Amino acid sequence: MKNSKSMFLVLSMIGLIGFALRTPTADAQEKQDPTAPSTVIEQTLSKIRDVEKLDTFVQQNAALVQENKKLKAEIASIQKQIAKLSKDLELQTVNLRKQLLQMPTFNVQSKIINGNRSAAILKSKDTIIRIRNSTQLSVPVSDGVWVLMQVKNISKEMIELYFPELERTVYLYD
């Protein structure tokens, strides 16, 4: 029992010393005015004001999220329209090119037909073109513009020439 009383006294003394150390002295209390503005109080008040504005920020954020979704959908729609217009423009450009290119005029100079083997010599402006049945070659249609020509058939009656880029077929009769 004597040990417990001495232990109680020791713990009580330690508690009193700790309390005395934590209690500010009269000089320290006079130097700190609890009503005077301090940075800690200002920071705390600022946080309280920011929390009061939180509901407004949440509403603004929700509105911005909805607007962002709407704008993304509009952008996707516009991109589809641009892709379609680009494709249409490319197709119209190709069709216009086909329409504007003039077909070269060919004159048959000579023809040789021997069973499955057929050949001919054509003249276009100042150019002599030698062709054979079922062959392909590039021919000039205007200054600096050449197109692919496929020789489809050379017969006694006619020569059939197909221009795939222009989607035109020409029949030459002698």
Side-chain angles (χ1 to χ4, degrees):
M1 181 92 140
K2 198 172 187 187
N3 268 345
S4 64
K5 280 188 176 182
S6 60
M7 183 67 115
F8 177 75
L9 283 174
V10 170
L11 288 175
S12 298
M13 288 301 282
I14 291 173
L16 284 174
I17 292 171
F19 183 75
L21 290 174
R22 290 187 78 211
T23 308
T25 60
D27 291 339
Q29 285 180 352
E30 288 176 8
K31 290 181 183 176
Q32 288 183 336
D33 182 9
T35 59
S38 70
T39 57
V40 174
I41 291 174
E42 288 177 14
Q43 289 173 351
T44 304
L45 289 174
S46 175
K47 285 181 185 177
I48 291 171
R49 286 185 197 109
D50 288 345
V51 169
E52 290 171 352
K53 295 177 185 177
L54 184 62
D55 290 336
T56 306
F57 293 144
V58 168
Q59 290 173 352
Q60 288 175 348
N61 187 35
L64 289 173
V65 166
Q66 290 300 323
E67 188 175 347
N68 190 26
K69 286 180 184 177
K70 179 182 170 189
L71 290 174
K72 284 182 178 180
E74 288 177 7
I75 287 172
S77 172
I78 289 171
Q79 286 175 336
K80 286 180 184 177
Q81 290 174 359
I82 288 172
K84 184 184 180 304
L85 288 173
S86 296
K87 186 177 178 182
D88 290 347
L89 181 62
E90 184 179 326
L91 184 63
Q92 287 178 359
T93 302
V94 167
N95 287 337
L96 186 61
R97 180 177 180 261
K98 289 176 188 177
Q99 291 172 2
L100 292 178
L101 284 177
Q102 292 181 356
M103 294 296 295
T105 52
F106 295 106
N107 293 322
V108 179
Q109 297 294 307
S110 65
K111 251 197 280 192
I112 300 172
I113 299 172
N114 184 7
N116 292 338
R117 300 173 122 193
S118 306
I121 296 176
L122 306 177
K123 183 174 184 180
S124 175
K125 293 186 183 177
D126 296 330
T127 307
I128 301 285
I129 303 169
R130 292 174 183 84
I131 60 172
R132 290 183 305 215
N133 213 9
S134 302
T135 59
Q136 296 184 39
L137 62 142
S138 291
V139 294
V141 290
S142 64
D143 291 336
V145 179
W146 292 67
V147 293
L148 183 67
M149 178 179 76
Q150 296 175 345
V151 180
K152 292 290 187 178
N153 187 23
I154 300 174
S155 67
K156 290 181 183 178
E157 297 83 29
M158 69 174 174
I159 297 174
E160 180 182 355
L161 305 173
Y162 177 67
F163 297 86
E165 295 175 49
L166 304 174
E167 296 177 353
R168 293 184 187 171
T169 302
V170 174
Y171 299 96
L172 302 175
Y173 300 94
D174 9 308

